[in-house]
Amino acid sequence: MGVELAGIKLPNPTILASGILGVSSDIMIRAARAGAGAVVTKSFNRNGREGYRNPSFIEVPGGFLNALGIPNPGMTEMREEIRAVSKANIPVVASVFGFDREEFADAAAMGEEGGAVAVELNVSCPHVREVGVEIGQRPDMVAEVTSAVKKRVRVPVIVKLTPNVTSIAEIAIAAERSGADVITAVNTVLGMAIDVNAAAPILGGQVGGLSGPALHSVAVRAVYQINEAVGIPVIGVGGITDWKGAVEMMMAGASAVQIGTAVMYRGVDVFREITGGISKFLSENGYQSVGEIVGLAHKAGTAG
């Protein structure tokens, strides 16, 4: 069940997604010991952020809407959390963001200093202006940030893309050409909920990111398109709740998958459940490794 991404060896293809349990080292370690092959931290920047006023997280049909505003304690404190996870011999990825390319690079370098095996650039947060979608929707800005980080760190650079674009393949190509080692797809879809009695948006930040099962088919489509456009590995994320959703994402082209909202529904044991289901599927269908099913749906699309 082991997989390798940009030289990083993982015991299995499931990864704790950024934003879920990723601030405390104790909780990240718990997720790994419950079966996650790797963990991604909560996104952090140079000096931290308080985030948006409540309500910032609500349940909606098919998933959740959040407008947390990327609250985090800053890169110095997060370096120590990363260090604690790394010392436990758990592959940890530092998720970073910034208001300019230098801040992205500073946070990435701090994550590497703490022992992160890779850095994931959050250029795709849908509810924080100028650090998320505004960067992630522009190929030139994605390229600029990716290049700046590549110059500062030696570990692999993962770029996490937004689905809120006309052509996600175009953004992925820009990231690859600028040195990205891996693509993560996708972040949340921009959404909104309105309180009909108050005639006003419910979320404190008004708009938010939609995650959960409702996002899954969007993510599968994005992974499929990105896999056709670039030659670097893709990590699929978005609405995976069971082994079948993970296998579907892999057949679309994902070499590994991140699990987020399902952890909130079912706890950290979901990693072992999904990994076990994938293993059983491979065995029952005569596959020797996860790699044999990665991108398999593309072959069906060109058959005949």
Side-chain angles (χ1 to χ4, degrees):
M1 283 293 288
V3 298
E4 186 171 328
L5 290 168
I8 303 168
K9 294 182 180 179
L10 304 181
N12 70 71
T14 66
I15 302 169
L16 174 69
S18 177
I20 305 294
L21 312 180
V23 174
S24 162
S25 58
D26 289 342
I27 298 178
M28 287 189 277
I29 290 170
R30 182 180 161 215
R33 289 179 176 163
V39 297
V40 185
T41 70
K42 173 76 174 171
S43 294
F44 62 91
N45 65 330
R46 186 186 289 132
N47 297 318
R49 272 177 64 91
E50 290 187 5
Y52 294 139
R53 65 178 175 83
N54 289 324
S56 59
F57 190 91
I58 61 172
E59 189 167 7
V60 294
F64 294 92
L65 270 179
N66 90 82
L68 298 172
I70 326 184
N72 75 95
M75 66 184 189
T76 302
E77 185 172 326
M78 286 304 299
R79 176 189 60 192
E80 300 312 308
E81 299 295 338
I82 291 167
R83 182 166 284 144
V85 179
S86 179
K87 285 182 177 179
N89 295 315
I90 294 165
V92 54
V93 177
S95 176
V96 303
F97 72 97
F99 286 87
D100 54 44
R101 62 186 179 186
E102 289 79 15
E103 186 171 11
F104 268 96
D106 286 348
M110 191 69 81
E112 180 182 42
E113 187 178 310
V117 297
V119 294
E120 184 176 84
L121 311 185
N122 184 359
V123 296
S124 52
C125 183
H127 48 76
V128 179
R129 292 177 64 84
E130 299 174 354
V131 302
V133 166
E134 289 194 2
I135 292 176
Q137 289 178 334
R138 294 177 52 182
D140 58 330
M141 293 187 73
V142 170
E144 184 179 297
V145 168
T146 304
S147 296
V149 174
K150 285 292 291 185
K151 292 174 182 176
R152 290 283 300 278
V153 302
R154 288 171 291 181
V155 295
V157 173
I158 305 167
V159 180
K160 187 172 186 177
L161 301 187
T162 174
N164 302 301
V165 293
T166 302
S167 172
I168 199 165
E170 181 183 4
I171 309 296
I173 290 168
E176 181 184 40
R177 287 177 177 171
S178 303
D181 300 287
V182 182
I183 298 291
T184 294
V186 290
N187 209 320
T188 54
V189 170
L190 195 62
M192 176 181 275
I194 292 175
D195 182 333
V196 296
N197 294 313
I202 296 174
L203 292 171
Q206 295 193 339
V207 298
L210 175 66
S211 63
L215 180 62
H216 186 65
S217 60
V218 174
V220 170
R221 180 268 304 168
V223 167
Y224 189 96
Q225 292 176 330
I226 291 167
N227 184 260
E228 289 198 328
V230 302
I232 56 178
V234 182
I235 299 171
V237 57
I240 297 172
T241 59
D242 56 21
W243 69 266
K244 187 175 180 181
V247 168
E248 184 181 8
M249 197 77 82
M250 292 172 182
M251 288 183 172
S255 297
V257 296
Q258 292 182 1
I259 313 297
T261 301
V263 177
M264 300 177 59
Y265 282 123
R266 295 160 56 192
V268 292
D269 289 338
V270 72
F271 292 104
R272 194 163 283 122
E273 293 171 11
I274 290 175
T275 301
I278 296 170
S279 180
K280 183 179 180 182
F281 174 82
L282 295 177
S283 177
E284 290 179 346
N285 289 277
Y287 297 112
Q288 302 300 310
S289 69
V290 170
E292 290 184 35
I293 66 170
V294 174
L296 202 58
H298 294 263
K299 297 177 182 178
T302 58

